[in-house]
């Protein structure tokens, strides 16, 4: 086959690039090793959150945001400190310009809409010039991940119907064809059909060969979160400590990172491989789809956080504050898991589960479903959360603390937690609830969260005493470490062209999305501010599709 451009990967970044190229009248071939049931890639499973700046949604919620404040937050979080961060820094600055300017009106015109309460994710490590979001910026798209994808799929489908885009499913790329130092196409194997459900592992049986000739090749194949072997190879021991022996996977197995090495063989350079964005609040999916399937809890600020032995973590290891810092604190404890201890009142108001399938009300984009699930449910949490509480192997529910500790030690398979010590820590915390001034940093954080009307309305429970039976039952949740995003990737300039180790552009070779570190080879730096993954796929995919280097 021949085309102007071939795109490797039918996820959000690839679709965004293809839609823009189709608008330019280019002929495009999109290849993906999965079948049509996986169109959209990881974005399908997402909550649909987008990092945007100074939006009508923010202003209606009383949030005063600005480009300058977001720039301070981003750079303080990124901590760029390497010579190879030059391109990532430029991409970060360009994304912030986009997020504060054209992003929302462009997406709104396309058809996207957002839940009116803006989320306050990744609140940071405690310093104004350090890591974290100073204000809520996490805009949940009505329809969640599928609601984001549908508009890019619709645009690509129109170009497919017009003959400008061709989809090649079950085509695995094994080689980028180079000639005279320039990309000239791709080749690989056609795979046997597989009708496994969306997200499930599929076969890798090669049944033929293929080749596509094109003057431009865009790699948009995603990260490495489903490849535990590759993760352990690049694990940043100096920064995070030992690699965990046990992890859950927050992404399907096809998120394997194999195109990174193939791109390097063609002359590309992957940088910042050691910068990872994995989560600490993973629970085993009681109804799994892919191997080691984990679901991340998106917690409000009230659950008490303890290590595997029942010792409370020190700030800023608080729910929703500093992901990487808490990740290291857990590993430093000598175990690969930790515990939330909370009440029914907390789980009802504060527990959300990441993913479109775990939020059917937001995914439905219907107000009546949101009100039914989150307002009119009495003392119960949302249906998916209650299902995990009932069926999930990481949940312990009890009427008394002694019963709770017995269940926690039962899950651990050893008496690691002393009930008296745990009781003393919770009692001390409870004693601060009646104190409007409080020296407990977490109580202070809860009070601060409730100053934001969005958190007070739907996200942060009123402070209450955990050991008061009226607020029960008590709940403990074993939290596993869970893979998700890789922050480093293939180095690209602002035209989305791959840049080799010698600093030279590789003609005809481009990258977008997570495989490019969402832009430049790592535009997040060391920390992500959330909503910047889907946003980064959209922005870098659009940039590749509009690149002037694609003639």
């Amino acid at each position: 086959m021949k085309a102007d451009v071939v795109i490797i990967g039918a996820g959000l970044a690839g679709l965004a690039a293809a839609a823009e190229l189709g608008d330019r009248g280019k002929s495009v071939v999109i290849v993906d090793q999965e079948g049509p049931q996986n169109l959209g890639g990881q974005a399908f499973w997402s909550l649909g959150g987008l990092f945007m700046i100074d939006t009508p949604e923010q202003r209606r919620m009383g949030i005063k945001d600005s480009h300058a404040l977001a720039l301070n937050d981003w750079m303080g979080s990124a901590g760029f400190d390497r010579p190879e961060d030059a391109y990532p820094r430029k991409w970060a600055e360009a994304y912030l310009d986009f997020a504060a300017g054209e992003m929302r009106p462009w997406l709104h015109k396309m058809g996207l809409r957002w839940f009116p309460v803006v989320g306050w994710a990744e609140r940071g490590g405690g310093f104004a010039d350090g890591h974290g979001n100073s204000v809520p910026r996490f805009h949940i798209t009505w329809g969640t991940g599928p609601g984001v994808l549908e508009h890019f799929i619709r645009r690509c489908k129109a170009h497919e119907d017009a003959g400008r885009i061709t989809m090649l499913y079950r085509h695995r790329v094994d080689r980028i064809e180079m000639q005279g130092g320039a990309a000239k196409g791709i080749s690989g194997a056609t795979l046997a059909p597989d009708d496994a459900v969306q997200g499930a592992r599929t076969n890798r049986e090669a049944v033929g060969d293929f080749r596509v000739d094109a003057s431009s090749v865009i790699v948009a194949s995603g990260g490495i979160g489903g490849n535990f072997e590759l993760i352990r190879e690049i694990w940043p021991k100096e920064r995070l400590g030992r690699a965990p022996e046990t992890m859950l996977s927050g992404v399907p197995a096809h998120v394997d990172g194999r195109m990174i090495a193939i791109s390097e063989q063609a002359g590309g350079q992957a940088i910042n491989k050691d910068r990872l964005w994995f989560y600490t609040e993973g629970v085993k999916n009681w109804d799994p789809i892919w191997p080691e399937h984990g679901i991340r809890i998106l917690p409000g600020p009230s659950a008490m956080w303890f290590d595997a032995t029942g010792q409370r973590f020190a700030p800023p290891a608080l729910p929703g504050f500093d992901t990487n810092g808490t990740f290291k604190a857990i590993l430093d404890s000598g175990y690969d898991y930790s515990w939330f201890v909370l009440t029914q009142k907390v789980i009802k108001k504060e527990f959300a589960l990441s993913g479109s399938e775990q939020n059917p009300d937001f995914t439905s984009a219907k107000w009546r479903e949101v009100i039914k699930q989150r307002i009119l449910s009495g003392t119960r949490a949302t249906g998916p959360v209650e299902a995990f509480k009932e069926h999930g192997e990481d949940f312990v529910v009890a009427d008394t603390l002694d019963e709770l500790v017995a269940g926690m030690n039962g899950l651990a398979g050893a008496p690691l937690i002393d009930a008296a010590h745990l009781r003393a820590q919770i009692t001390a915390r409870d004693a601060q609830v009646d104190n409007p001034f409080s020296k407990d940093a977490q109580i202070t954080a809860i009070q601060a969260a409730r100053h934001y009307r969005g958190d007070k309305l739907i996200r942060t429970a009123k402070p209450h005493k955990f050991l008061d039976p009226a607020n029960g039952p008590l709940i403990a949740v074993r939290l596993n470490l869970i893979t998700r995003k890789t922050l480093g990737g293939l180095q690209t300039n602002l035209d989305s062209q791959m840049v080799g180790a010698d600093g030279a552009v590789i003609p005809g070779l481009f990258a977008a999305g997570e495989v490019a570190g969402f832009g430049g080879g790592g535009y997040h730096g060391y920390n992500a501010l959330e909503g910047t993954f889907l946003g980064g796929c959209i922005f870098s995919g659009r940039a590749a599709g509009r690149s002037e280097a694609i003639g």
Side-chain angles (χ1 to χ4, degrees):
M1 296 186 66
K2 291 184 178 181
D4 295 325
V5 185
V6 60
I7 298 174
I8 305 167
L12 179 57
L15 293 172
E20 295 295 320
L21 288 163
D23 289 351
R24 295 170 60 184
K26 301 294 184 183
S27 60
V28 180
V29 172
I30 303 175
V31 299
D32 198 289
Q33 64 183 348
E34 297 304 311
Q37 68 271 40
N38 283 297
L39 180 63
Q42 292 183 68
F44 174 86
W45 304 99
S46 78
L47 189 57
L50 294 173
F51 177 105
M52 295 188 288
I53 302 165
D54 191 23
T55 63
E57 289 77 17
Q58 287 177 301
R59 293 192 290 273
R60 282 194 289 267
M61 295 304 297
I63 301 164
K64 294 181 180 180
D65 199 6
S66 69
H67 183 284
L69 184 60
L71 177 65
N72 179 74
D73 288 348
W74 192 294
M75 294 305 169
S77 300
F80 294 126
D81 60 0
R82 298 171 178 173
E84 58 267 35
D85 283 332
Y87 282 123
R89 182 187 291 272
K90 290 179 181 178
W91 271 91
E93 292 169 348
Y95 178 77
L96 289 169
D97 291 343
F98 179 61
E102 188 183 1
M103 183 176 184
R104 187 190 180 281
W106 179 66
L107 292 174
H108 188 277
K109 184 177 180 180
M110 201 183 301
L112 278 76
R113 299 293 184 269
W114 297 276
F115 185 62
V117 178
V118 184
W120 195 354
E122 201 63 19
R123 305 186 190 200
F127 292 109
D129 59 352
H131 169 49
N133 280 301
S134 297
V135 297
R137 297 189 176 106
F138 191 78
H139 297 70
I140 297 176
T141 307
W142 276 117
T144 64
V148 175
L149 282 169
E150 67 172 291
H151 303 284
F152 292 93
I153 292 173
R154 170 178 46 77
R155 291 176 62 194
C156 288
K157 177 63 176 173
H159 290 307
E160 185 179 15
D161 291 343
R164 287 184 288 273
I165 291 179
T166 301
M167 304 291 300
L168 296 182
Y169 297 109
R170 300 295 289 163
H171 283 63
R172 185 189 68 205
V173 177
D174 297 325
R175 189 179 309 103
I176 297 172
E177 299 293 341
M178 305 294 292
Q179 182 179 334
K184 294 299 180 183
I186 59 170
S187 60
T190 54
L191 303 178
D194 197 316
D195 60 359
V197 297
Q198 186 172 13
R201 187 193 292 274
T202 57
N203 75 70
R204 291 293 178 261
E205 180 187 353
V207 294
D209 300 318
F210 79 97
R211 175 173 173 141
V212 180
D213 294 328
S215 57
S216 296
V217 175
I218 301 175
V219 179
S221 54
I224 68 170
N227 188 336
F228 284 16
E229 182 179 352
L230 186 54
I231 289 167
R232 291 193 170 96
E233 285 180 13
I234 64 172
W235 187 262
K237 299 183 182 66
E238 300 79 9
R239 186 158 47 84
L240 291 182
R242 64 177 180 85
E245 295 179 8
T246 303
M247 292 185 290
L248 299 178
S249 179
V251 296
H254 62 251
V255 185
D256 56 18
R258 64 188 305 275
M259 281 307 305
I260 296 174
I262 293 170
S263 297
E264 288 182 311
Q265 291 168 5
Q269 181 189 25
I271 60 175
N272 299 318
K273 291 181 180 180
D274 63 316
R275 294 179 180 169
L276 306 171
W277 193 250
F278 296 165
Y279 292 112
T280 53
E281 313 98 332
V283 291
K284 294 180 182 178
N285 193 344
W286 63 273
D287 187 18
I289 298 173
W290 55 77
E292 302 300 326
H293 190 173
I295 297 293
R296 184 202 173 197
I297 294 171
L298 304 173
S302 299
M304 294 184 73
W305 207 336
F306 299 91
D307 70 17
T309 67
Q311 182 61 44
R312 191 180 183 190
F313 286 116
L318 300 173
F321 275 73
D322 183 1
T323 293
N324 273 335
T326 308
F327 204 107
K328 187 177 188 306
I330 293 169
L331 291 177
D332 286 348
S333 75
Y335 295 87
D336 292 347
Y337 69 94
S338 60
W339 290 98
F340 274 166
V341 173
L342 58 150
T343 65
Q344 181 64 27
K345 284 188 175 179
V346 172
I347 202 171
K348 171 345 187 232
K349 195 158 188 178
E350 297 193 9
F351 263 36
L353 299 170
S354 181
S356 56
E357 81 285 12
Q358 301 298 335
N359 296 274
D361 51 344
F362 286 138
T363 302
S364 75
K366 296 177 180 177
W367 266 111
R368 65 175 180 271
E369 294 300 321
V370 174
I371 293 170
K372 182 170 69 174
Q373 283 281 331
R374 299 175 193 267
I375 306 296
L376 302 179
S377 58
T379 61
R380 291 175 57 82
T382 64
V385 171
E386 289 290 342
F388 265 85
K389 196 180 81 173
E390 180 180 356
H391 303 294
E393 65 179 85
D394 294 310
F395 285 72
V396 180
V397 182
D399 291 326
T400 70
L401 187 64
D402 287 339
E403 292 171 340
L404 191 77
V405 171
M408 295 165 74
N409 285 332
L411 282 185
L416 296 179
I417 298 175
D418 177 73
H421 181 53
L422 193 69
R423 183 184 299 276
Q425 294 174 89
I426 299 174
T427 299
R429 177 261 181 212
D430 280 359
Q432 295 287 303
V433 170
D434 295 330
N435 177 6
F437 300 98
S438 187
K439 70 174 183 179
D440 188 292
Q442 187 169 12
I443 298 297
T444 301
I446 294 167
Q447 293 168 344
R450 286 176 62 84
H451 288 318
Y452 167 45
R453 74 173 76 118
D455 273 1
K456 185 175 183 178
L457 179 65
I458 66 168
R459 197 72 176 102
T460 304
K462 183 178 180 180
H464 58 274
K465 295 180 178 181
F466 281 15
L467 295 181
D468 184 342
N471 298 320
L474 289 167
I475 302 164
V477 185
R478 181 175 58 186
L479 305 173
N480 305 274
L481 304 177
I482 182 171
T483 69
R484 189 64 68 87
K485 302 296 182 184
T486 40
L487 301 188
L490 295 165
Q491 185 172 229
T492 58
N493 64 15
L494 285 176
D495 236 351
S496 300
Q497 295 173 287
M498 285 195 211
V499 178
D502 60 358
V505 164
I506 304 167
L509 195 52
F510 302 78
E514 189 175 355
V515 76
F518 302 89
Y523 87 146
H524 293 98
Y526 289 97
N527 293 283
L529 291 176
E530 298 294 346
T532 54
F533 303 126
L534 287 188
C537 286
I538 291 169
F539 180 61
S540 62
R542 186 180 98 142
R546 294 185 175 187
S547 175
E548 294 182 1
I550 296 178

